[in-house]
Amino acid sequence: MAADHDKFQRIAILDYGSQYTQLIARRIREQQVFSEIIRFDTPASKLRENLPAGIILSGGPNSVFEEGAPGIDPGIFSLGVPILGICYGMQLMSRELGGKVEPGKEREYGKTEMSTEPENVLFAGLPRDFTVWMSHGDRVAAIPSGFKVSATSANCPYAAIRDEQRRFYAIQFHPEVVHTQFGSQIIGNFLFKICGCKADWKLSTWIDDTVARLRGQIGDGEVVLGLSGGVDSSVVAVLLHKAIGRRLHCIFVDNGLLRAGEDVQVETMFKSKLGLDLTVARAAQRFYGALKGVAEPEMKRKIIGREFINVFAEEARKFSHCRFLGQGTIYPDVIESSHALKGPSQTIKSHHNVGGLPPDLKFELVEPLRDLFKDEVRAVGRVLGMDPELLDRQPFPGPGLGVRILGEVTEDKVKLLQEADRRVQEEVRKLPDYKSIWQTFAVLLPVKTVGVMGDQRTYEYTCAIRSVNSIDAMTADWTRLPYDTLATISSRIINEVRGINRVVYDISSKPPATIEWE
């Protein structure tokens, strides 16, 4: 469902493949201006149809000298709107407008001291010298006609340039990352002082508009929604319920691979407290049977995904009068997975939502969150009055505990891991900075070790604890949990969970490791 953003000013971000492109969009929205990531090869004619208040050319991994390097429609420079080029975007802008770009004598990567020139609106209100984050090999050797130098660094005589008459600005560093001092102010200066934006992107207004659009799209029809109990599908459920009430039919597939007590929690929350029409498909034994004897991680994922679709489809057919399928698609899903947005960026992960449904189920998709980032989804939930306990839940993989039990998945192993993980969650939630931790969980290893409990020898499983800090799960660092917390977790699991006699802590970051073990 295309959102109607005509009433909001927007900034269009041309995506050249930077790992930070989504971060640019988020930094803009944090200042209550709507931002949209679009393909780098979007023609000027398309942008002219709904002219943005400004355009940003993102960074990217390519060199402008490479054959097939992503370019730009030259007509974009004639649209009459402000343009900010970042890193690769600066080099591309400079080359297209008649400047010269050359390989740098040495790659500039990391924190760099930069000095700004006076009378520069992009750096208005900032100190003359501050630290920025550089990440480039090529550099601008000669600036285009009409441009002035805005800032320099030791290795970069053109760290920032500007053409005030055409309102073209370019910077070699990344203002969107936290390592750049005053990055938010720099972005704010571009938004408000150069583009003339208003801070009118408010989620309360978005909710009212979205509810109206949902009612317009659905009419007197009905919607079926796969409810996982996660943040995204939960917010979609409440939003759709606000729009169409009992004409929303939620299906919760209990695959037996959930966290301890999660099935009861979801049913109580949505059926009893929120009054949603909820069908619970209890299919644990079906999943256990399909997974019997299977140890290969990718095969397990495929089996779990296949069975989920089959169970969901069987339940959805009972609502034969429903024409619409609700999904918790969010903006990162769209950017990473949608064919419409595939540019130079690599696809990092596949789409999580209900896909591959049998051909007899011909639904029209309803995706009200497809323009929002995860933090915005949580903010919408708060405005809707949803339980903070639900909104602040840590991410949970689609295959559930199936990818946290290494080797064959059995019902006994699931129960063992659920009990271990429950104790992990109880102890970590006591930490004052719990909400800042991206994810903490237990993993059951296919390794048994010798131990001693009392005067008896034991030979039981090993449990690993994984805790990471991350912004978007693309990269992650292991959490420095307090030793006392780790000691308590270990003691509780070993003493209270029969079947585990050893606990280890995973201190690997992503990359090279992944967050999940499988």
Side-chain angles (χ1 to χ4, degrees):
M1 178 177 62
D4 176 14
H5 301 306
D6 291 344
K7 65 167 59 179
F8 299 110
Q9 292 175 312
R10 70 185 180 107
I11 298 294
I13 304 166
L14 269 60
D15 179 15
Y16 287 94
S18 171
Q19 61 180 315
Y20 304 132
T21 300
Q22 290 189 36
L23 202 50
I24 299 171
R26 290 180 61 189
R27 293 288 178 259
I28 293 170
R29 293 193 189 185
E30 285 169 1
Q31 305 199 42
Q32 296 186 328
V33 175
F34 184 73
S35 59
E36 182 179 23
I37 298 172
I38 60 178
R39 285 182 57 112
F40 70 92
D41 56 359
T42 300
S45 57
K46 184 71 174 177
L47 283 167
R48 193 176 286 112
E49 292 174 5
N50 183 17
L51 201 63
I55 296 171
I56 291 179
L57 313 181
S58 83
N62 299 94
S63 165
V64 292
F65 305 112
E66 292 176 9
E67 185 177 350
I72 188 171
D73 179 352
I76 287 175
F77 295 109
S78 301
L79 290 174
V81 300
I83 299 176
L84 173 65
I86 297 176
C87 198
Y88 180 90
M90 173 181 182
Q91 297 158 16
L92 182 64
M93 177 191 288
S94 298
R95 191 188 67 173
E96 289 291 323
L97 297 178
K100 182 180 178 182
V101 180
E102 65 181 17
K105 295 180 180 178
E106 57 185 78
R107 181 174 175 80
E108 193 169 20
Y109 182 84
K111 292 183 178 180
T112 302
E113 290 299 316
M114 189 182 76
S115 296
T116 64
E117 298 297 323
E119 300 179 2
N120 183 351
V121 66
L122 191 64
F123 303 132
L126 305 184
R128 179 165 186 180
D129 301 315
F130 55 91
T131 301
V132 298
W133 182 263
M134 295 279 192
S135 177
H136 65 97
D138 300 340
R139 69 176 187 177
V140 175
I143 61 178
S145 176
F147 278 77
K148 300 177 183 177
V149 177
S150 298
T152 62
S153 72
N155 192 45
C156 193
Y158 304 119
I161 59 176
R162 69 190 188 277
D163 180 337
E164 293 166 333
Q165 184 173 354
R166 289 185 287 182
R167 295 185 294 171
F168 293 166
Y169 294 78
I171 54 181
Q172 191 57 73
F173 61 92
H174 290 272
E176 68 273 22
V177 301
V178 295
H179 312 297
T180 292
Q181 289 183 305
F182 312 112
S184 292
Q185 292 95 315
I186 294 169
I187 292 172
N189 284 340
F190 179 70
L191 298 177
F192 304 116
K193 295 182 181 295
I194 296 170
C195 298
C197 290
K198 297 177 182 178
D200 60 359
W201 169 244
K202 293 181 173 62
L203 288 175
S204 56
T205 305
W206 179 90
I207 290 172
D208 293 339
D209 292 344
T210 299
V211 167
R213 285 197 303 272
L214 288 170
R215 289 170 177 163
Q217 180 190 9
I218 299 165
D220 59 358
E222 302 192 15
V223 179
V224 64
L225 169 71
L227 181 65
S228 70
V231 174
D232 302 334
S233 67
S234 298
V235 172
V236 168
V238 174
L239 199 58
L240 280 166
H241 189 254
K242 181 179 177 67
I244 63 171
R246 297 285 291 184
R247 288 185 287 126
L248 168 67
H249 308 288
C250 298
I251 299 172
F252 173 60
V253 178
D254 178 5
N255 60 10
L257 304 171
L258 306 172
R259 288 169 283 206
E262 192 163 20
D263 54 340
V264 175
Q265 182 185 30
V266 169
E267 188 168 10
T268 301
M269 171 66 70
F270 291 95
K271 198 169 187 177
S272 303
K273 291 186 178 180
L274 297 178
L276 273 66
D277 178 38
L278 177 65
T279 298
V280 179
R282 304 201 181 279
Q285 295 305 319
R286 179 169 176 169
F287 280 83
Y288 296 150
L291 290 166
K292 186 175 181 179
V294 179
E296 203 278 320
E298 191 60 26
M299 184 60 68
K300 288 196 294 184
R301 284 180 176 271
K302 288 179 179 178
I303 289 171
I304 294 168
R306 181 195 70 206
E307 289 304 314
F308 176 85
I309 290 172
N310 289 340
V311 174
F312 180 84
E314 289 169 12
E315 295 297 332
R317 287 191 182 97
K318 298 174 183 177
F319 300 95
S320 56
H321 54 288
C322 285
R323 189 162 59 90
F324 297 93
L325 173 67
Q327 288 203 138
T329 311
I330 63 175
Y331 202 33
D333 295 332
V334 174
I335 296 166
E336 293 167 2
S337 305
S338 171
H339 293 288
L341 285 179
K342 278 187 178 174
S345 302
Q346 288 188 326
T347 298
I348 304 299
K349 59 186 177 182
S350 58
H351 207 286
H352 310 299
N353 297 313
V354 178
L357 287 173
D360 64 297
L361 292 175
K362 297 179 180 179
F363 290 117
E364 180 180 332
L365 284 181
V366 177
E367 301 174 301
L369 305 181
R370 63 179 288 116
D371 294 311
L372 301 186
F373 287 104
K374 192 77 165 189
D375 54 335
E376 292 174 322
V377 173
R378 286 193 170 98
V380 166
R382 291 186 181 95
V383 175
L384 290 170
M386 294 175 64
D387 189 340
E389 179 79 9
L390 188 153
L391 294 174
D392 294 330
R393 295 182 71 185
Q394 295 181 346
F396 190 63
L401 300 183
V403 292
R404 293 179 180 174
I405 296 172
L406 276 60
E408 182 186 11
V409 176
T410 66
E411 185 174 3
D412 288 343
K413 287 181 181 178
V414 170
K415 290 178 179 177
L416 195 62
L417 182 55
Q418 284 177 333
E419 288 304 307
D421 188 70
R422 180 166 65 84
R423 287 154 176 81
V424 172
Q425 302 307 322
E426 289 172 354
E427 294 305 321
V428 173
R429 284 178 179 274
K430 296 175 183 177
L431 295 173
D433 59 345
Y434 167 72
K435 290 184 180 180
S436 68
I437 300 173
W438 177 264
Q439 220 169 340
T440 304
F441 55 89
V443 180
L444 188 65
L445 307 185
V447 176
K448 287 189 174 183
T449 67
V450 174
V452 178
M453 298 189 73
D455 294 324
Q456 292 185 329
R457 174 187 182 276
T458 61
Y459 188 60
E460 297 177 334
Y461 284 106
T462 300
C463 173
I465 308 302
R466 180 75 159 138
S467 184
V468 295
N469 290 336
S470 179
I471 295 175
D472 53 13
M474 305 292 278
T475 61
D477 190 21
W478 62 279
T479 310
R480 276 63 172 172
L481 289 180
Y483 288 160
D484 288 347
T485 299
L486 289 172
T488 302
I489 289 173
S490 177
S491 177
R492 288 197 62 192
I493 290 175
I494 291 171
N495 285 289
E496 298 173 17
V497 181
R498 185 177 295 274
I500 296 174
N501 67 357
R502 191 177 300 270
V503 175
V504 298
Y505 191 52
D506 182 350
I507 59 169
S508 48
S509 296
K510 177 184 179 181
T514 53
I515 293 178
E516 298 292 341
W517 276 49
E518 287 191 341

